[in-house]
Amino acid sequence: MSGESTYRAPELLINGQWRTGRHAMTVAIVNPASAETLDRLHLANHDDINQALQATQQGFEAWRQVPAFERCARLEKGVNKMREQMEHIATLLTLEQGKPLAEARAECAMAADLIKWYAEEARRTYGRIIPARLPNSRMQVLKQPVGPVAAFAPWNFPLVLSARKIGGALAAGCSIILKGAEETPASVAAMVDCLAAELPPGALQLVYGVPAEVSEQLIASPIIRKVTFTGSVPVGRHLAQMAAKHLKRITLELGGHAPVIVCADADIDKTVAQMVVHKFRNAGQACLAPTRFYVDRTIEGDFLDAFTAASHKLVLGDGMAPATQMGPLASARRLAAVRDLIDRSVQAGAQLHQGTAPTTGFFAPVSLLTHVNPESPVIQEEPFGPVVTLTPFDNIDHALHLANQSAYGLAGYLFTDSARAILKVSDQLEVGSLAINGMGVSVPEAPFGGLKDSGYGSESGIEGMEAFLDTKFTHHCA
Ligand code: NAD
């Protein structure tokens, strides 16, 4: 497929220089559409990470001195470069991650938007003045960059999920060491290259390594002042424990199992059209993907027929082919995990309605499961693939009860024009983001974060910027 022959695994960006990692281990980068190896990635060793730590301290000292107005201008220059390079970055992303090229372009555009929004926000990092208690005195609240940041981003939306961390940290005046996902290194490196050219050495660094080694070294270092992670619940718990031990602030975005409540008055065709696109984007490997559909019992049959018909029409294939609407899963590991979850759920009594999929690469067919109960594996565990469940409900309280039984609480969706249902679900659904009659739960200017096992803290929006700032009170007497 075009582009494959030119794919190269990237080097590490340490102290303003791109160079090869010196770890004894290398990792194969695999095209998930063909299961063929694209290249091998050289990982960072202990000394490489040590150098990044020294450089991040120097990078912080230089970058924090740059006035917010200029930080904004420099980040915007990097964003413009990202936009010029979009085709190149998107092609790398499709080759190493599998998503259709149109989705890869959209992801690159979203990553650029995120950094642009944060860049603009740099100029609005206001403190405040508190009326003074004493004559001839001033009481002020200052917002200051927290310091060097250690960031860990995953492989499912490597550009957007890295951009949330890079944009927030740099706009706030922090330096950042990003450990990208080893599965999808080249697209992130191409994005970082666009941004780093405008920054002091060490302000933005990119490393790949053995994840447990890198996180342990970074989080334990006194140089690092803030940790931010997107990924799975078990890894998030582990990093939270390390962060607690070293008293580091941490933001955690740990996935979801999003409920979709469809009331009897919803327009079934419109709802299905939106949810099929949203669900099967990136082959369902999205933390905000709609997954558990709770549908009013009176429309259950019609909804099942419409959803099955629309989802089985999706064209699965190599993301580089223009006709492809859904690509493969990102890795053999994810394919095995999705198959295992479906098998266990069927053994527990679920009925499976499944489409077809190519047999090369790591493709999983779209799969809908009915007759699931709250103990079913597919309800208990995040599917992170093209899998949905369908469960009928009797009234809105029943729907809320079922939806809130999950340990996750990231995104949720509601389809209805009933003011009563909208009020109830807005108040009582245990999620960090709720879309009503739509799918827009994540935009740069609004906070995005989870409740319960989905983690804590927000990214994006002013809350996302706040995560990279310290608050200082000064009381100045004449
Ligand atoms: P995983 O737990 O093996 O890894 C998740 C991510 O964490 C990867 O990018 C990995 O490199 C990193 N990681 C693993 N151990 C680490 C450590 N000790 N220190 C620092 N980083 C570490 O999961 P996976 O198989 O890659 O993905 C499966 C599950 O992860 C999914 O089912 C989903 O729940 C979750 N996930 C969530 C998101 C999200 O957007 N919240 C993204 C990707 C994966």
Side-chain angles (χ1 to χ4, degrees), residues 152-156 161 179-183 211-213 215 229-235 238-239 242 253-256 286-287 333-334 382-384 408 410:
F152 303 89
W155 45 264
N156 57 334
L161 299 177
K179 191 200 78 63
E182 288 67 31
E183 295 89 339
E213 289 178 11
S215 57
F229 170 77
T230 302
S232 64
V233 176
V235 176
H238 174 62
L239 299 193
M242 279 201 283
E253 199 271 86
L254 305 179
C287 49
R333 181 178 85 244
R334 288 307 312 150
E382 180 184 21
F384 224 64
Y408 288 98
L410 190 65

Side-chain angles (χ1 to χ4, degrees), residues 103-133:
E103 287 185 23
R105 289 189 191 111
E107 181 175 344
C108 189
M110 174 74 159
D113 265 7
L114 266 159
I115 297 172
K116 168 124 171 79
W117 188 85
Y118 272 126
E120 292 164 352
E121 201 57 20
R123 304 198 301 175
R124 291 186 281 272
T125 312
Y126 306 126
R128 67 182 192 278
I129 294 182
I130 299 172
R133 287 191 161 215

Side-chain angles (χ1 to χ4, degrees), residues 18-294:
W18 288 98
R19 58 173 187 73
T20 305
R22 294 172 292 175
H23 202 288
M25 268 179 69
T26 60
V27 169
I29 310 305
V30 176
N31 180 338
S34 63
E36 281 168 12
T37 297
L38 292 162
D39 200 357
R40 294 197 77 84
L41 177 68
H42 290 260
L43 304 180
N45 70 6
H46 194 269
D47 288 346
D48 293 328
I49 298 298
N50 250 341
Q51 285 176 7
L53 281 165
Q54 301 310 317
T56 202
Q57 182 64 46
Q58 288 160 14
F60 173 56
E61 277 150 25
W63 184 237
R64 72 179 310 186
Q65 302 299 331
V66 177
F69 187 82
E70 194 185 331
R71 286 208 298 272
C72 172
R74 293 217 219 162
L75 287 172
E76 284 184 335
K77 270 196 194 167
V79 166
N80 290 341
K81 273 198 205 154
M82 276 175 70
R83 290 181 173 147
E84 285 159 24
Q85 296 280 314
M86 183 175 307
E87 208 52 31
H88 170 61
I89 299 172
T91 301
L92 294 173
L93 178 54
T94 292
L95 289 172
E96 63 191 9
Q97 203 272 348
K99 65 183 64 182
L101 191 56
E103 287 185 23
R105 289 189 191 111
E107 181 175 344
C108 189
M110 174 74 159
D113 265 7
L114 266 159
I115 297 172
K116 168 124 171 79
W117 188 85
Y118 272 126
E120 292 164 352
E121 201 57 20
R123 304 198 301 175
R124 291 186 281 272
T125 312
Y126 306 126
R128 67 182 192 278
I129 294 182
I130 299 172
R133 287 191 161 215
L134 303 171
N136 297 320
S137 69
R138 185 84 75 222
M139 300 205 299
Q140 297 183 92
V141 178
L142 305 179
K143 293 289 176 181
Q144 298 183 313
V146 64
V149 174
F152 303 89
W155 45 264
N156 57 334
F157 287 91
L159 300 177
V160 158
L161 299 177
S162 300
R164 280 195 188 140
K165 300 168 187 349
I166 292 171
L170 291 174
C174 300
S175 59
I176 177 167
I177 301 175
L178 172 69
K179 191 200 78 63
E182 288 67 31
E183 295 89 339
T184 55
S187 53
V188 176
M191 173 175 80
V192 163
D193 197 37
C194 294
L195 299 162
E198 309 301 328
L199 306 170
L204 168 59
Q205 301 182 92
L206 176 65
V207 297
Y208 295 103
V210 177
E213 289 178 11
V214 178
S215 57
E216 198 167 327
Q217 193 177 350
L218 289 180
I219 295 172
S221 166
I223 291 173
I224 295 299
R225 304 296 287 275
K226 160 84 192 177
V227 181
T228 170
F229 170 77
T230 302
S232 64
V233 176
V235 176
R237 262 189 228 286
H238 174 62
L239 299 193
Q241 280 165 4
M242 279 201 283
K245 182 173 167 205
H246 298 284
L247 286 179
K248 304 281 164 81
R249 287 166 62 176
I250 185 165
T251 300
L252 295 169
E253 199 271 86
L254 305 179
H257 200 336
V260 185
I261 298 175
V262 186
C263 296
D265 68 316
D267 180 325
I268 293 181
D269 290 339
K270 255 167 93 176
T271 305
V272 166
Q274 287 195 60
M275 285 291 104
V276 165
V277 170
H278 198 40
K279 169 67 209 177
F280 298 107
R281 193 163 60 104
N282 202 21
Q285 301 163 109
C287 49
L288 50 67
T291 300
R292 294 176 291 137
F293 284 74
Y294 297 106

Side-chain angles (χ1 to χ4, degrees), residues 257 291-292 341 345 350 369 372 376-381 383 387 389:
H257 200 336
T291 300
R292 294 176 291 137
L341 180 63
S345 303
L369 293 149
V372 288
S376 179
V378 71
I379 294 290
Q380 293 282 321
E381 301 166 34
V387 180
T389 65

